[in-house]
């Protein structure tokens, strides 16, 4: 008997075709799949009359396939934990425990994900932090309110002298109930698109594109190729702009202020290009379900090419100086290392994974939209340190500039918008997109009338915050800012 249903990115699958296993069989299947090289993409619950249905989606990147399996946990409200054998499940299982009260028996550290400190529920009790004992061991608490204009989050360092032995990250301060809002306002598609744009404000194109892709797949339409290519251009501009901003921030953190200024100025040119295309520097309003709302005119193409030429040359020079500076390399190299095996076990995605040697890129592994029409070569480094996470950004900026230049020169004729059909009833669709942070995953489940009954969102930060906690171990606490910047994770994208 098959233990999972196989399908592709953006391919709707009837819910009835997803095998429903016993909790023990489900656990065994997850462990065997992980041992076979599949990785966890999504794991979520859905309350039903018989209990809570747990659905797992795993990816086989080499074969461009996704696999889904489910189990139902009834009134016993407990099931055998998967985390002890597949560590990448650890946060997903904590999330299910928090949302539905299901205990994964044997989970090594079962604390809430977003509750217990942020006061989301007045009745919730504070959760204990991990404690170290010993001579000269002390704790350093940072946040949730920070010195800079950044989002709230609490960091609890366990240190001996200047050395960090453990970092516990507690988020949830910006929990907005986004997934529930998708259900409450499911009959207002225009609202849902704006909501998707707001999941993480620096990943507008990534999340809006993932939502639009899921909706279009359920409505069995494919936007015109011109619209898909405009989405590709917008996505790559988003990637270039944020990567430039990250390099500016990293340069600033090691007091290389010239680099900070140069990268910052280049970033402004990119986001102003997006502004010229659609009226928003962050791309808000560009993507619509069924296509895009703004065309790229011949004058717009010329303007984009001109800006790219200027940014390409400026970024090349800035990176040559940044990565050729001994004082910069002295801070970046061998700081905040995440080794490849650790990255694999905890499920890192995006540039952070590629900097640790994991060749994971949704554009190549699970092609979608306009990325299905041309190859995207995956580039990796192996040192897993701050240097690798910074340098991979520099490489990806050059790659994205090339992709935008190629696609804008080949922009086909065609319509901008195709109206979607009615959503397929009783289906699951998974929409994966490669945002600038990494894999964005949206899953939509429809009921017998084709209305949303479950909407699950995963920002790449969900995987990678634990990567930051692992990176700072055995480092001086003064290296935390550059370790943190080298990941640049989203608080609101995690909090949802």
């Amino acid at each position: 008997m098959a233990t999972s249903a196989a399908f592709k990115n953006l391919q709707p699958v009837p819910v009835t075709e997803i095998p429903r296993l016993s909790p023990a069989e489900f656990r065994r299947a997850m462990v065997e799949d992980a041992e076979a090289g599949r990785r966890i993409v999504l794991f979520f619950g859905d309350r039903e009359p018989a209990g809570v249905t747990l659905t797992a989606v795993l990816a086989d990147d080499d074969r461009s396939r996704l696999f889904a399996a489910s189990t139902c946990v009834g009134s016993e409200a407990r099931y055998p934990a998967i985390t002890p054998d597949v560590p990448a499940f650890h946060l997903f299982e904590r999330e299910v425990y928090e949302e539905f009260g299901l205990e994964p028996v044997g989970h090594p550290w079962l604390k809430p994900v977003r509750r217990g400190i942020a006061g989301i529920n007045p009745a919730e009790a504070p959760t204990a932090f991990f404690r170290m004992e010993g001579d000269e061991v002390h704790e350093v608490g940072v946040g949730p309110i920070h010195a800079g204009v950044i989002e709230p989050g609490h960091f609890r360092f366990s240190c001996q002298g200047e050395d960090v032995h453990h970092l516990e990250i507690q988020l949830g301060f910006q929990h907005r109930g986004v997934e529930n809002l998708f259900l409450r306002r499911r009959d207002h598609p225009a609202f849902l698109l704006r909501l998707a744009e707001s999941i993480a404000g620096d990943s507008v194109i990534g999340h809006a594109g993932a939502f639009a892709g899921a909706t279009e797949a359920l409505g069995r339409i494919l936007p015109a190729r011109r619209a898909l290519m405009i989405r590709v251009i917008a996505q790559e501009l988003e990637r270039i702009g944020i990567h430039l901003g990250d390099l500016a921030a990293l340069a600033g953190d090691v007091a290389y202020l010239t680099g900070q200024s140069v990268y910052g100025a280049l970033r402004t040119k990119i986001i102003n290009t997006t502004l010229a295309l659609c009226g928003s520097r962050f791309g808000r309003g560009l993507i619509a379900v069924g296509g895009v709302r703004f065309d790229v005119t011949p004058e717009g193409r010329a303007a984009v090419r001109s800006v790219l030429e200027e940014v390409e040359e400026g970024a090349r020079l800035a990176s040559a100086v940044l990565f050729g500076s001994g004082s910069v390399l002295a801070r970046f190299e061998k700081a905040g290392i995440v080794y490849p095996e650790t990255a694999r076990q905890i499920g890192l995605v995006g540039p952070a994974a590629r900097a640790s040697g994991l060749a994971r890129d949704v554009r190549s592994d699970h092609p979608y939209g306009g990325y299905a029409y041309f190859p995207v070569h995956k580039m990796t480094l192996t040192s897993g340190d701050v240097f690798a996470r910074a340098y991979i950004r520099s490489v990806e900026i050059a790659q994205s500039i090339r992709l935008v230049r190629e696609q804008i020169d080949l922009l086909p004729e065609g319509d901008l918008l195709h109206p979607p059909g009615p959503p397929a009833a009783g289906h699951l669709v998974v929409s994966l997109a490669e945002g600038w942070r990494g894999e964005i995953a949206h899953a939509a489940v429809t009921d017998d009338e084709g209305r949303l009954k479950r909407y699950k969102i995963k920002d790449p930060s969900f995987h990678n915050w634990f990567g930051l906690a692992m990176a700072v171990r055995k480092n001086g606490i003064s290296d935390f800012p550059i370790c943190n910047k080298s990941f640049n994770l989203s608080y609101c994208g995690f909090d949802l």
Side-chain angles (χ1 to χ4, degrees):
M1 184 184 92
T3 57
S4 60
F7 56 103
K8 291 185 176 182
N9 186 18
L10 294 175
Q11 178 186 353
V13 56
V15 173
T16 54
E17 293 185 6
I18 300 174
R20 179 162 293 192
L21 312 173
S22 71
E25 292 171 334
F26 181 79
R27 183 189 188 282
R28 189 180 312 117
M30 295 300 103
V31 173
E32 290 176 353
D33 282 356
E35 290 174 348
R38 297 174 185 172
R39 63 180 179 83
I40 182 67
V41 173
L42 287 168
F43 180 60
F44 58 92
D46 190 12
R47 201 174 294 282
E48 296 183 351
V52 176
T53 297
L54 299 178
T55 300
V57 179
L58 290 91
D60 183 336
D61 295 330
D62 293 336
R63 297 171 56 204
S64 301
R65 289 289 188 277
L66 301 174
F67 298 86
S70 68
T71 187
C72 185
V73 181
S75 58
E76 69 276 17
R78 57 208 314 260
Y79 66 97
I82 305 165
T83 298
D85 288 303
V86 189
F89 266 88
H90 78 105
L91 198 53
F92 288 106
E93 292 199 305
R94 286 170 53 191
E95 186 181 48
V96 165
Y97 169 66
E98 178 178 76
E99 290 183 3
F100 299 97
L102 302 185
E103 180 188 359
V105 179
H107 192 289
W109 196 23
L110 197 56
K111 62 175 291 185
V113 175
R114 302 180 180 95
R115 298 174 183 165
I117 189 171
I120 295 170
N121 182 344
E124 70 189 37
T127 56
F129 285 87
F130 180 81
R131 296 295 301 271
M132 285 181 57
E133 304 289 343
D135 294 341
E136 300 181 0
V137 172
H138 61 97
E139 290 186 344
V140 178
V142 178
I145 299 170
H146 301 277
V149 184
I150 58 176
E151 300 175 272
H154 180 71
F155 302 88
R156 184 76 62 95
F157 297 88
S158 296
C159 301
Q160 188 176 35
E162 292 287 320
D163 296 332
V164 177
H165 283 256
H166 179 75
L167 167 61
E168 190 168 343
I169 302 170
Q170 182 64 54
L171 304 176
F173 297 90
Q174 295 186 104
H175 179 57
R176 297 152 288 165
V178 172
E179 292 176 353
N180 284 335
L181 275 174
F182 268 93
L183 302 184
R184 287 169 52 192
R185 303 299 297 273
R186 61 186 177 181
D187 296 326
H188 303 274
F191 175 87
L192 297 187
L193 188 60
R194 301 289 88 77
L195 182 60
E197 289 180 339
S198 303
I199 292 169
D202 55 12
S203 301
V204 169
I205 301 299
H207 277 290
F211 168 74
T215 307
E216 291 156 3
L218 287 171
R220 302 190 188 284
I221 65 160
L222 182 65
R225 187 169 169 183
R226 183 179 184 86
L228 294 176
M229 290 307 173
I230 291 174
R231 287 184 183 177
V232 167
I233 291 167
Q235 179 66 83
E236 296 308 315
L237 288 175
E238 185 174 82
R239 193 182 323 278
I240 297 167
I242 298 291
H243 280 0
L244 287 168
D246 288 344
L247 291 175
L250 280 163
D253 270 1
V254 295
Y256 176 44
L257 301 186
T258 301
Q260 181 183 30
S261 299
V262 171
Y263 282 121
L266 294 173
R267 171 184 174 269
T268 299
K269 293 180 185 294
I270 292 296
I271 62 176
N272 282 352
T273 302
T274 304
L275 172 70
L277 290 178
C278 67
S280 165
R281 295 193 299 171
F282 299 103
R284 287 180 177 269
L286 173 63
I287 290 180
V289 174
V292 295
R293 296 188 183 282
F294 295 88
D295 202 356
V296 179
T297 64
E299 295 77 16
R301 293 190 201 189
V304 170
R305 280 194 291 265
S306 175
V307 169
L308 290 181
E309 185 175 344
E310 188 176 352
V311 170
E312 184 177 43
E313 178 62 12
R316 187 185 64 78
L317 289 172
S319 293
V321 176
L322 179 75
F323 296 110
S325 167
S327 60
V328 171
L329 295 180
R331 294 295 310 280
F332 284 5
E333 289 182 330
K334 296 183 170 43
I337 297 175
V338 179
Y339 293 101
E341 180 57 21
T342 301
R344 187 193 64 77
Q345 288 188 355
I346 64 177
L348 284 190
V349 295
R354 295 191 284 275
S356 289
L358 302 186
R360 293 175 176 174
D361 190 323
V362 176
R363 297 173 295 175
S364 176
D365 297 331
H366 305 277
Y368 60 98
Y371 295 106
Y373 295 96
F374 60 90
V376 176
H377 300 293
K378 297 183 286 188
M379 291 171 291
T380 61
L381 298 171
T382 57
S383 58
D385 53 6
V386 171
F387 168 81
R389 290 188 289 275
Y391 194 76
I392 202 78
R393 284 172 164 83
S394 177
V395 172
E396 292 186 359
I397 288 169
Q399 181 190 43
S400 294
I401 288 175
R402 180 179 57 77
L403 291 178
V404 173
R405 183 183 290 132
E406 290 174 353
Q407 299 311 317
I408 207 165
D409 286 341
L410 300 172
L411 202 58
E413 297 298 325
D415 299 329
L416 296 183
L417 272 174
H418 283 169
H427 277 65
L428 161 73
V429 66
V430 175
S431 177
L432 303 182
E434 185 71 17
W436 63 267
R437 279 194 184 92
E439 180 181 272
I440 292 171
H442 286 212
V445 182
T446 55
D447 62 15
D448 292 340
E449 298 178 351
R451 305 176 78 195
L452 282 179
K453 68 183 293 286
R454 182 74 168 96
Y455 200 83
K456 180 61 191 164
I457 302 161
K458 185 200 69 181
D459 186 86
S461 303
F462 190 81
H463 288 287
N464 289 2
W465 273 112
F466 194 67
L468 171 61
M470 298 302 291
V472 299
R473 289 185 176 182
K474 300 182 181 177
N475 281 250
I477 194 170
S478 58
D479 281 336
F480 174 69
I482 58 172
C483 292
N484 192 20
K485 292 283 193 331
S486 71
F487 280 88
N488 189 15
L489 302 173
S490 173
Y491 298 66
C492 61
F494 178 95
D495 290 347
L496 296 179

